[in-house]
Amino acid sequence: MFATHIHRHTEQCLQLSHTDSQPPSEYWNSLSKIWLTKRALKELNRRNNKPNECPPPHRRTHQPLTRSLLAKRAKGQWSASKILKGFSKDDLEQIKRFSRLGGPDTSDLRGYPEPVNPLEYSTMPPTNHLLVSKNKDVTSTVNTKSTGPYSRNFEQLLIDYGVFPAFYAYPDGRKPAKPNNLDEIKYKMKQRRSSLSLSRFGDKEFERFQEAAAHAKKEEQITKSVISIIEGNSQENKHVCGKVKFGNLDSLINVGGDCVFTPGNPDLYDGAPSEQLDRRVRDRLNNKIIPSTQDDLPIAPNFFLHAKGRDGTEAVAAKQCVYDGALGERGQLSLRSYGQKKPHFDNNAHTITSVYLHQKLSMYTVYTVRTNGPNSRQEYYTHLIGSWAMDGDIQTFRSGAAAFRNLRDWAKELRDEAITLANSVADQVKDEKYSDSKQWLPTVKA
């Protein structure tokens, strides 16, 4: 059953993955606003150049277009007034009534090429006129920067489906509420670490960090030489992984019943060993908490880091931060709601996600809520909890590194708590065989 589920998920979602290719047409159709990006232009070109089932008039003509042939065709053409003369009075009244109601549905003609005047038809091959100005003296240049799947259109899609970036404001000016446990998070973040005391981390160690940060250019270099100093030499976090695409997780976005799937891919994430969670829970929540089909990788991640090299952009890092954080928070909600018919929303944050870019460390918390009203849905919010210029001075570094290490420990505490809750519920399940019930999760003994 487990293998079958994985296979089905792969067929439905991974084939729609557009990390390295063009997103499907459903992706663009679902956007409330389309931003000007290279992929959007490519999609526009694809639609403009899409061949019609019925070829254009000049493609159907094999006989040479002589003047005598055109004259014969002109004689066979009827004007609208000539056609209407052939109808009775009652028929004309029906035609007028039909016209007042809007006339025929011509939506199937949308995108069909304009009729070609044979006299103006050129034998030159058609060209793409999308970006060519009719005024030959004017040259228009559109500069776009490739951001892969994490473009402004991807961010728009996330917003449309309830996954919001930091500092988001609704069209009416309202701002999302802060998580209930924000004060607790900030208190934990500011706790002092003995490993960062003056005796253990002084000017010499800080200079070593500054040199490493200045020389690291690529993401891999930053992770090995820079992030390793920020996180310290603690051996407690053994269940850490990175550069693994979250290809086994369900997408957060569904368009027309199909998932628009961009796998999460953080540079570093913390999770739990698979054996810590009851097998039955793992099988049931498989595509919510297990990032990869590789069995020995950590599961139920709720602490993420995205490190960017010198060529990295803040826009891409922010989108990755929001998306991966939402995937992690959904998994934590699934664990805490295991055994219940509906998800349990406590309006607390259980996930930490961070970005290291241009020697600056920024940390966020991600939390999910259920909105009220007729259009109620699950939404994910991102909240900035602190940022530090890590190479500025030693005190700023100590504050940023302490926040990173403290919130990493805090995320582990909440992850262990969620797993313990799910395991305790699994022990009470009276039937280990899972059915295809529409209930959100298994029934529990009274």
Side-chain angles (χ1 to χ4, degrees):
M1 174 181 176
F2 179 76
T4 303
H5 184 72
I6 292 290
H7 179 67
R8 186 182 304 115
H9 175 77
T10 302
E11 287 184 338
Q12 292 178 347
C13 291
L14 292 187
Q15 66 180 356
L16 293 177
S17 173
H18 55 272
T19 303
D20 302 314
S21 60
Q22 183 72 2
S25 58
E26 293 81 1
Y27 174 95
W28 304 102
N29 294 339
S30 64
L31 290 173
S32 61
K33 179 193 295 184
I34 298 180
W35 296 88
L36 181 62
T37 63
K38 287 184 177 180
R39 292 190 175 204
L41 291 175
K42 187 175 180 180
E43 175 66 13
L44 181 59
N45 285 340
R46 186 192 69 80
R47 298 192 181 194
N48 286 342
N49 296 330
K50 184 177 180 181
N52 290 276
E53 294 181 359
C54 181
H58 61 270
R59 298 283 178 88
R60 297 198 305 266
T61 303
H62 298 283
Q63 185 178 356
L65 295 176
T66 62
R67 292 184 180 276
S68 59
L69 177 62
L70 292 176
K72 290 179 181 179
R73 288 186 178 181
K75 291 181 180 180
Q77 294 178 354
W78 286 26
S79 64
S81 59
K82 187 175 181 180
I83 294 174
L84 292 175
K85 286 181 179 179
F87 288 92
S88 65
K89 195 170 185 180
D90 293 338
D91 291 338
L92 289 176
E93 287 297 326
Q94 292 182 9
I95 293 174
K96 290 179 181 179
R97 189 181 305 109
F98 182 61
S99 177
R100 286 196 298 269
L101 295 176
D105 180 9
T106 59
S107 60
D108 57 328
L109 298 178
R110 188 175 299 159
Y112 194 84
E114 295 183 9
V116 178
N117 187 337
L119 294 178
E120 297 177 358
Y121 174 67
S122 171
T123 58
M124 294 295 291
T127 58
N128 186 351
H129 299 283
L130 180 63
L131 298 178
V132 179
S133 173
K134 291 184 179 180
N135 185 352
K136 296 182 180 180
D137 297 330
V138 179
T139 302
S140 300
T141 303
V142 179
N143 293 322
T144 59
K145 184 174 180 64
S146 177
T147 57
Y150 299 101
S151 65
R152 286 184 293 178
N153 287 313
F154 180 73
E155 181 181 50
Q156 185 63 53
L157 192 65
L158 290 179
I159 292 174
D160 291 345
Y161 281 82
V163 183
F164 300 101
F167 305 109
Y168 177 79
Y170 291 99
D172 60 3
R174 292 182 299 111
K175 297 180 180 179
K178 299 176 181 179
N180 292 342
N181 58 344
L182 181 60
D183 291 339
E184 174 192 349
I185 295 173
K186 290 186 175 182
Y187 175 79
K188 292 280 187 180
M189 178 181 71
K190 296 178 181 178
Q191 298 301 302
R192 294 184 178 182
R193 307 279 299 201
S194 59
S195 59
L196 293 169
S197 63
L198 183 61
S199 60
R200 297 178 62 180
F201 192 91
D203 292 337
K204 183 178 180 179
E205 288 76 17
F206 180 61
E207 290 178 3
R208 184 166 65 89
F209 169 80
Q210 288 179 310
E211 292 175 358
H215 296 150
K217 300 179 181 180
K218 300 296 183 180
E219 294 178 6
E220 185 176 355
Q221 293 175 308
I222 292 174
T223 303
K224 289 183 177 180
S225 62
V226 179
I227 301 302
S228 60
I229 300 176
I230 296 176
E231 66 183 354
N233 297 321
S234 175
Q235 300 298 319
E236 297 177 1
N237 296 305
K238 296 180 181 179
H239 302 288
V240 181
C241 196
K243 291 298 182 183
V244 174
K245 291 185 178 181
F246 290 176
N248 188 57
L249 295 180
D250 286 338
S251 174
L252 290 168
I253 303 166
N254 286 277
V255 178
D258 293 326
C259 57
V260 178
F261 189 56
T262 296
N265 188 18
D267 294 285
L268 179 152
Y269 77 87
D270 287 9
S274 59
E275 61 270 18
Q276 183 179 345
L277 183 62
D278 189 287
R279 177 190 56 79
R280 295 166 294 179
V281 183
R282 295 201 308 267
D283 290 349
R284 186 68 178 182
L285 302 182
N286 173 51
N287 300 125
K288 298 291 190 297
I289 61 171
I290 302 180
S292 172
T293 55
Q294 188 173 334
D295 296 336
D296 58 344
L297 297 182
I299 66 172
N302 68 332
F303 184 86
F304 306 91
L305 171 71
H306 295 87
K308 293 298 176 185
R310 292 185 179 179
D311 296 332
T313 65
E314 186 173 358
V316 172
K319 295 175 184 66
Q320 290 176 318
C321 178
V322 171
Y323 187 67
D324 292 353
L327 289 172
E329 184 67 6
R330 182 186 62 181
Q332 296 302 303
L333 175 68
S334 300
L335 287 170
R336 291 175 178 273
S337 303
Y338 188 79
Q340 302 181 32
K341 293 183 178 180
K342 294 182 180 180
H344 173 66
F345 295 93
D346 57 9
N347 294 344
N348 287 329
H350 312 93
T351 300
I352 298 294
T353 182
S354 53
V355 174
Y356 181 86
L357 173 67
H358 302 156
Q359 288 78 51
K360 177 183 176 183
L361 175 67
S362 302
M363 301 197 72
Y364 304 82
T365 184
V366 181
Y367 55 104
T368 182
V369 301
R370 170 69 69 179
T371 60
N372 299 320
N375 298 322
S376 177
R377 66 175 182 175
Q378 183 176 348
E379 294 184 346
Y380 297 86
Y381 303 129
T382 306
H383 184 78
L384 177 68
I385 50 181
S387 60
W388 302 266
M390 299 298 284
D391 64 340
D393 59 75
I394 190 170
Q395 190 54 47
T396 302
F397 175 88
R398 285 198 182 105
S399 299
F404 187 89
R405 300 177 191 183
N406 288 332
L407 292 181
R408 191 178 206 174
D409 293 344
W410 177 82
K412 183 180 184 302
E413 291 175 7
L414 267 66
R415 183 170 63 246
D416 291 344
E417 179 183 272
I419 290 175
T420 301
L421 286 171
N423 285 340
S424 64
V425 172
D427 290 338
Q428 302 175 44
V429 176
K430 58 184 177 181
D431 188 359
E432 295 184 11
K433 295 182 179 179
Y434 306 132
S435 65
D436 293 330
S437 170
K438 292 184 179 180
Q439 291 184 357
W440 201 69
L441 288 168
T443 305
V444 180
K445 289 181 179 179

